[in-house]
Amino acid sequence: VNRGALSIVSIRNDSYSQPNNLTQTLEVLDLFKKTAILAGDFNATIESRSMKELKKSGRFIAAWDSPATFPARKPKEAIDFILAPSNWQIVRHKVLQSSLSDHLPVVSVFKLQNDN
């Protein structure tokens, strides 16, 4: 992608310990320094330190203001995200209604930017 490798990382961070969640997030940031898509259950709201670190890194674009995804029956908080490289453009983002999980699924559509 854009003349380089792309890592696609499935995330399922700790939901019981926010300090451990942050440690996991920092490890992911350290491991995937090149182009990556991070997607899944971050178990952290946008106000959390974990999500602030991801956003602050400047390496990702996402629907940071996503509608709530958890719990699925009566969603109260957004903790499920798809992060793409920051030089991509987010075209649209949607939270789907479903009873197949305790989280609602998210779909994001991105456009790769021309790297000329």
Side-chain angles (χ1 to χ4, degrees):
V1 174
N2 289 347
R3 298 187 194 117
L6 171 69
S7 295
I8 300 175
V9 183
S10 176
I11 300 289
R12 205 287 185 189
N13 281 357
D14 194 335
S15 62
Y16 297 104
S17 167
Q18 284 304 298
N20 191 46
N21 185 297
L22 176 60
T23 298
Q24 292 169 326
T25 298
L26 295 175
E27 287 177 2
V28 166
L29 279 170
D30 189 50
L31 284 170
F32 299 97
K33 293 184 182 197
K34 300 210 179 199
T35 306
I37 293 174
L38 310 179
D41 180 2
F42 288 81
N43 273 314
T45 65
I46 194 62
E47 295 86 20
S48 72
R49 183 135 178 250
S50 291
M51 295 309 291
K52 286 180 180 177
E53 288 294 325
L54 288 163
K55 194 172 182 181
K56 183 176 81 173
S57 77
R59 293 167 33 196
F60 302 101
I61 187 168
W64 302 113
D65 59 349
S66 174
T69 60
F70 182 82
R73 286 189 180 187
K74 291 185 181 179
K76 295 179 182 157
E77 54 190 7
I79 60 173
D80 304 279
F81 298 93
I82 302 172
L83 283 60
S86 61
N87 63 336
W88 294 15
Q89 177 184 357
I90 189 161
V91 176
R92 70 180 163 273
H93 175 81
K94 186 174 184 178
V95 174
L96 305 176
Q97 297 303 309
S98 174
S99 60
L100 297 176
S101 171
D102 59 335
H103 294 249
L104 294 177
V106 297
V107 176
S108 292
V109 176
F110 298 94
K111 178 181 176 185
L112 279 68
Q113 296 300 306
N114 199 352
D115 64 340
N116 293 336

